[in-house]
Amino acid sequence: QVQLQESGPGLVQPSETLSLTCSLSGGSMRSYYWSWIRQPPGKGLEWIGYVYHNGATSINPSLKSRVTLSVDTSKNQFSLRLNSVTAADTAVYYCARAEYILGETRYFFDFWGQGTLVTVPS
Amino acid sequence: DIQMTQSPSSLSASVGDRVTITCRASQTISRSLSWYQQTPGKAPKLLISGASNLQSGVPSRFSGGGSGTDFTLTISSLQPEDFTTYYCQQGYNTPLTFGGGTKVEI
């Protein structure tokens, strides 16, 4: 069974860099799109971006200037770096596996980590 | 970006009721629409992909429909564990986007 687990600091100071890692167990990284999604407290879901197993990325234009995504298939891990954080970046950050099915279905998120709350004090 | 608009944002219902949640895309997305259920403090759980494909293990009281810009999630007979929040998500184009959520309350 595929399992994902986020790790990283729960508190990041303003203007610093948020760094999170997601560890995969029970599956292969090949052929999937490894994603980051965040949810501010009490609000909805925002897709940050994905990294493919070969290192190709797609990042939400709203965050593109601040986000770096990377993958290490030898460790079954992928990572998020978000720089110049502000209080607006306070959220639960989820890692998730996105599957792409050619044709009508396209992208959907079938496995999620439990999420990790990252707080940026104001 | 493709905007996803869910309605209603919340609804009140009773156990056994049939409820329908609507999701509208700002442009056509074929059938690239998924539905998720999120209970408080937990990650979203995939219910339906491709507008109507029920995921393995999801109860058959959940069903999805629609294509193009208008989609529905129907729960045929609400159970106590269904009173939570639901999100739609378009997978047609990046950036991938979610609806604002619908909270189903007792």
Side-chain angles (χ1 to χ4, degrees), chain A residues 14-80:
Chain A
S15 79
E16 296 189 344
T17 297
L18 179 161
S19 294
L20 295 175
T21 295
C22 185
S23 299
L24 166 69
S25 59
S28 169
M29 299 201 82
R30 184 164 287 275
S31 301
Y32 293 100
Y33 297 82
W34 302 96
S35 299
W36 291 95
I37 295 155
R38 69 180 183 178
Q39 185 172 36
K43 297 189 178 180
L45 299 160
E46 179 182 31
W47 176 74
I48 298 171
Y50 67 60
V51 57
Y52 195 50
H53 70 87
N54 65 1
T57 60
S58 178
I59 299 170
N60 195 322
S62 67
L63 296 166
K64 191 163 189 172
S65 63
R66 298 195 292 134
V67 167
T68 302
L69 302 180
S70 60
V71 62
D72 186 339
T73 56
S74 68
K75 294 182 179 179
N76 265 9
Q77 291 179 335
F78 58 105
S79 298
L80 163 70

Side-chain angles (χ1 to χ4, degrees), chain B residues 8-83:
Chain B
S9 56
S10 66
L11 65 91
S12 296
S14 300
V15 173
D17 283 354
R18 177 184 181 94
V19 300
T20 297
I21 299 167
T22 297
C23 184
R24 174 164 288 174
S26 61
Q27 65 188 73
T28 184
I29 58 170
S30 185
R31 293 174 58 83
S32 304
L33 192 286
S34 299
W35 290 98
Y36 302 83
Q37 177 191 63
Q38 186 178 32
T39 55
K42 300 289 189 181
K45 172 188 173 184
L46 177 66
L47 299 176
I48 288 170
S49 63
S52 61
N53 299 322
L54 198 67
Q55 297 302 294
S56 175
V58 175
S60 59
R61 63 181 179 271
F62 291 92
S63 63
S67 66
T69 60
D70 294 314
F71 301 87
T72 57
L73 172 69
T74 297
I75 309 172
S76 61
S77 178
L78 274 170
Q79 298 303 298
E81 60 269 29
D82 301 336
F83 290 90

